[in-house]
Amino acid sequence: MQYTVNGTNFSWNYQISTNGYSWVIENPNGGFGGNYNLKVTTSVNGFGTTVDIKGVPKPANQQEFCGDADIKEQLPAGYVLNSCSFSGNTGNIAATVSANGFSVSYSVKYEYTPA
């Protein structure tokens, strides 16, 4: 980014990292229809962000987890699903997103614990 102050040009290269940030999402009306807390950890090129969601339902099996329309709808345009698995209380998704001539690989880990 470039800007001018009093006739002098300045360059500023800004980047915002969300690595290491953690968010908690709660519904003050009693949860989101389930008895589990969900920790979602997203990693892109080695950098991770965590979101904790309170009071969600847990998928019964891998087919329910990997075939869930809500999960697929959250994936961006241009994605390729490389793998999807779910066992016990943990689900994993690995994908690649391609846009504007470049590709980015990322993974998302879903960990369910009783509320």
Side-chain angles (χ1 to χ4, degrees):
M1 174 179 207
Q2 300 228 352
Y3 58 96
T4 303
V5 176
N6 295 330
T8 303
N9 292 326
F10 294 90
S11 296
W12 181 35
N13 182 7
Y14 66 94
Q15 294 181 354
I16 299 172
S17 173
T18 59
N19 188 42
Y21 280 86
S22 181
W23 289 275
V24 176
I25 299 172
E26 294 184 75
N27 182 347
N29 297 321
F32 297 98
N35 296 322
Y36 284 83
N37 294 325
L38 173 59
K39 178 180 178 181
V40 180
T41 304
T42 304
S43 298
V44 179
N45 293 331
F47 297 101
T49 300
T50 301
V51 176
D52 291 304
I53 306 169
K54 308 291 184 180
V56 300
K58 180 182 82 121
N61 52 44
Q62 181 167 314
Q63 181 179 0
E64 188 175 308
F65 176 79
C66 294
D68 188 340
D70 290 336
I71 289 178
K72 290 181 179 180
E73 288 174 8
Q74 294 177 40
L75 297 171
Y79 84 95
V80 173
L81 184 61
N82 299 324
S83 66
C84 182
S85 64
F86 183 82
S87 180
N89 292 328
T90 304
N92 290 287
I93 293 176
T96 303
V97 176
S98 298
N100 300 324
F102 68 95
S103 295
V104 175
S105 296
Y106 69 96
S107 64
V108 185
K109 183 175 186 177
Y110 297 78
E111 299 173 276
Y112 295 85
T113 56

